[in-house]
């Protein structure tokens, strides 16, 4: 789930008679916020103290839904429950996204490695991490290298299982100073039996390489700069509204 205050998602949905549109949220919608998500194995969790989600008045709530095919038309009914808190908010949750949208795993390919990285322009505190891939993925790793050269592994999944795409909450927040490089690597095989050639789409019959790191800026005044850098990167991920 994401929030859209640009009107892009509403215009895209109108092109399909108001029935939504077939795309990943981030491929169309420029956003630095994950409003909430669920996948098999995901348990409820709370945001850290003092961290909230920025929700502007009039914004549209955009929900990406994946369903198991039944062979016939089905109706989907969703309900989103919101709980508001009286606690003061010092920083807004911001999603740092890594991955590749220009993804193609050819039939018969083995040990295909997809890498991406970002250098953080400001100091952040990281709370949670989520990898998203489909059936051809074999492993996912993510790490952060601080300016002093120290390196911490943020995520390591040696045997990827697409049925358990759960976010991982760090036992204690990871402090990542300005200049830290966050990197991710996805490894794929397209062997037995090979798919027709998997590309990056919202469909689980295709493939993905997406990593989401949930953060909040250490200094509230740095929020605008972090979001500016993230949105610039997303331009390469996104299909323009056309």
């Amino acid at each position: 789930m994401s929030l859209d205050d640009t009107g892009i998602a509403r215009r895209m949905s109108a092109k399909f008679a108001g029935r939504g549109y077939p795309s990943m949220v981030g491929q169309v919608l420029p956003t630095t916020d994950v409003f909430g998500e669920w996948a098999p194995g995901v348990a409820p969790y709370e945001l850290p103290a003092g961290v909230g989600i920025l929700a502007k008045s009039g914004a549209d709530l955009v929900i990406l839904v994946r369903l198991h095919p039944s062979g016939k038309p089905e109706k989907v009914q969703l309900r989103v429950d919101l709980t508001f808190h009286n606690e003061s908010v010092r920083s807004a949750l911001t999603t740092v996204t890594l991955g590749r949208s220009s993804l193609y795993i050819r039939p018969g390919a083995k040990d295909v490695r997809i890498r991406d990285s970002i250098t953080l322009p400001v100091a952040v505190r990281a709370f949670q991490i989520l990898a998203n891939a489909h059936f051809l993925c074999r492993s996912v790793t993510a790490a952060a290298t601080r300016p002093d050269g120290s390196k911490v592994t943020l995520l390591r999944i040696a045997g990827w299982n697409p049925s358990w795409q759960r976010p991982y909450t760090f036992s204690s927040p990871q402090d990542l100073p300005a200049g830290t490089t966050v990197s991710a690597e996805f490894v794929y095989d397209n062997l037995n039996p090979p798919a027709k050639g998997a590309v990056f789409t919202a469909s689980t019959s295709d493939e993905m390489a997406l990593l989401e790191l949930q953060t909040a800026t250490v200094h509230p005044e740095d929020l605008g700069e972090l979001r500016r850098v993230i949105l610039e990167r997303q331009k390469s991920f996104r299909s323009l509204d056309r």
Side-chain angles (χ1 to χ4, degrees):
M1 297 188 293
S2 296
L3 291 168
D4 176 26
D5 61 356
T6 68
I8 290 176
R10 188 177 291 267
R11 294 197 297 273
M12 287 293 296
S13 181
K15 296 180 180 181
F16 294 88
R19 297 190 300 267
Y21 55 90
S23 173
M24 288 290 296
V25 172
Q27 285 183 285
V28 174
L29 178 64
T31 180
T32 58
D33 303 298
V34 174
F35 193 68
E37 55 195 327
W38 183 86
V42 175
Y45 63 91
E46 293 185 0
L47 294 177
V51 177
I53 295 175
L54 181 63
K56 297 182 180 179
S57 175
D60 291 321
L61 179 61
V62 184
I63 305 177
L64 168 65
V65 184
R66 292 192 179 101
L67 304 172
H68 289 287
S70 65
K72 63 183 188 299
E74 300 285 357
K75 291 184 178 180
V76 178
Q77 185 174 8
L78 304 173
R79 188 181 79 176
V80 178
D81 294 332
L82 302 178
T83 301
F84 296 92
H85 204 286
N86 293 326
E87 177 186 344
S88 61
V89 174
R90 298 188 302 272
S91 187
L93 188 73
T94 302
T95 304
V96 177
T97 303
L98 290 86
R100 282 264 299 275
S101 58
S102 56
L103 181 65
Y104 180 79
I105 312 298
R106 64 177 177 79
K110 181 180 180 181
D111 198 34
V112 177
R113 295 175 182 269
I114 303 298
R115 299 183 178 97
D116 192 19
S117 63
I118 179 175
T119 299
L120 300 174
V122 300
V124 306
R125 187 161 291 145
F127 307 104
Q128 193 178 77
I129 192 168
L130 169 68
N132 197 332
H134 293 158
F135 296 100
L136 302 183
C137 186
R138 295 295 171 262
S139 66
V140 181
T141 55
T145 304
R146 298 183 176 92
D148 63 4
S150 62
K151 186 174 181 179
V152 58
T153 298
L154 300 174
L155 181 69
R156 180 185 289 118
I157 302 176
W160 175 261
N161 184 341
S163 296
W164 293 93
Q165 299 187 46
R166 57 164 294 173
Y168 293 91
T169 301
F170 301 124
S171 56
S172 57
Q174 296 290 322
D175 289 314
L176 305 178
T180 295
T181 298
V182 180
S183 59
E185 181 182 77
F186 293 75
V187 181
Y188 300 86
D189 290 341
N190 190 1
L191 296 173
N192 299 313
K196 61 183 179 181
V199 296
F200 185 108
T201 74
S203 172
T204 55
S205 62
D206 289 316
E207 198 44 80
M208 289 190 64
L210 187 64
L211 187 89
E212 296 176 348
L213 183 65
Q214 303 289 11
T215 73
T217 58
V218 174
H219 306 292
E221 63 271 19
D222 289 339
L223 179 62
E225 176 62 11
L226 177 61
R227 293 186 169 218
R228 184 193 66 78
V229 170
I230 293 171
L231 291 174
E232 281 295 317
R233 281 175 49 86
Q234 285 186 353
K235 288 181 179 179
S236 63
F237 254 76
R238 212 165 59 236
S239 301
L240 297 178
D241 182 24
R242 59 180 184 264

